[in-house]
Amino acid sequence: MLIPFNRISLADRELEYLTTAAASGATSGDGPFTRRATHLLTGITSSPYALLTTSCTHALELSALLLELEPGDEVIMPSFTFVSTANAFVLRGAVPVFVDCRPDTLNLDERAVEAAITPRTKAIVVVHYAGVACAMDPITEIARRHGVPVIEDNAHGLGGSYRGRPLGSLGALATQSFHATKNVQCGEGGALLVNDAGLRERAEILREKGTDRSRFMRGQVDKYTWRDVGSSYLPSDVLAAGLTAQLEAFGEIQRRRHEIWSAYYEACDEFVRPTVPSDTEHAAHLFYVLATSNAERSRLIEHLASAGVQATFHYQPLHDSPAGLRFGRTGPGGCPVTEDVAERLVRLPLYPGLSDREAATVIAAVRSFRPVSVVAVR
Ligand SMILES: *Cc1c(COP(=O)(O)O)cnc(C)c1O
């Protein structure tokens, strides 16, 4: 392939920081770069408190631990998402209740949420697909009425906003991913944003193997001990060093991602393109088009491949996957929109290191695609 679907881009100071961290000997978690990256992250998201984790998957697992989910508890979430959104709760014995997505934003359909609530509902998880905000006010209002917290799986949403408020600051908890495919990456990494102050102290303990070691390191207690359940969710400070450089370059990363996204948007006017509601600012996480059918999608992906462009489909619905059927259930109304769009969606390469020339190649390849027209046969 001339143009791979993803390619990581190093930030200006990334190698320098990685070397500094590795050479310093302070390579375990919660070192100086972890503090810097955490500070930058709370600045971008306006979240009052952040904890770096080894992945978004682990931040979701930490969320499930913090909410003290028990077997049989239910968690409402979209079917159109990554497996970790569901797995984190299934690991606690909870039941994912899959709700359909909206046909425009492909986000959790707020009109279908309330019907899926039962006395066992313990949380609503939203995913800001492609970095476009969910309808957070209606969803938050439903959650408030039923006394359940909202968790933002914000893996796509860093830098996006809803009604002027940054994504990641809107749920009781929010999770970030710094996986190699995300807007800001350190290979494997993540963060838990704790917006509900009541969960802060316990989040810190659960992330540190159930101990109050973090308080000890700050000199707040004179020894540390086992206080709660927990696990090890701290990334090495070497990874945090790479992350620090990326977060420092966040403005530049986003500028370039938006530039490419907008060029794609203009060029793909013969396809169904992403919808960005007027009260949101998207994070330019990914760009997709919807083909008219599954067969047309296959032809489009092949056509792009023949032009050297690696395009891919995206999530397979969770509700009718083998594990989804085993561990979850589907809310009233099913997930017909999810089933339909999952079959037709195509993502184009989008990363800051994509050159103007490469973007032009992608655009030319998309524009030279001719859907097979339906010919009436007499
Ligand atoms: C990437 C992604 C995750 C998982 O992130 P990791 O950091 O790889 O664990 C979870 N949810 C969504 C929506 C994602 O896109």
Side-chain angles (χ1 to χ4, degrees), residues 55-57 81-82 85 127 153 155-156 177 179 182 189 315:
S55 65
C56 182
T57 301
T81 182
F82 189 60
T85 317
V127 178
D153 177 340
H156 299 188
S177 175
H179 181 263
K182 301 299 181 350
Y315 301 130

Side-chain angles (χ1 to χ4, degrees), residues 37-46 50 52 158 176 178 191 193 247:
T38 305
H39 180 73
L40 289 163
L41 185 61
T42 52
I44 291 167
T45 57
S46 297
L52 294 196
L158 191 65
Q176 301 295 150
F178 305 120
L193 306 178
L247 289 167

Side-chain angles (χ1 to χ4, degrees), residues 65 100 113 136 252 297 321 324 364 371:
L65 277 171
D100 210 0
V113 168
M136 289 305 287
E252 185 56 27
R297 171 172 76 181
S321 67

Side-chain angles (χ1 to χ4, degrees), residues 280-356:
T280 73
E281 299 216 21
H282 72 94
H285 172 57
L286 61 84
F287 185 87
Y288 65 85
V289 295
L290 293 181
T292 53
S293 68
N294 184 244
E296 188 186 288
R297 171 172 76 181
S298 302
R299 281 197 300 276
L300 176 57
I301 290 176
E302 276 169 37
H303 172 80
L304 294 172
S306 68
V309 175
Q310 188 180 28
T312 65
F313 49 86
H314 208 186
Y315 301 130
Q316 294 306 105
L318 296 185
H319 69 283
D320 58 4
S321 67
L325 293 169
R326 182 166 156 211
F327 298 118
R329 73 178 171 78
T330 303
C335 299
V337 177
T338 303
E339 289 168 20
D340 174 42
V341 297
E343 294 250 289
R344 297 193 286 122
L345 189 142
V346 180
R347 294 183 292 160
L348 302 180
L350 171 59
Y351 35 87
L354 195 79
S355 68
D356 286 346

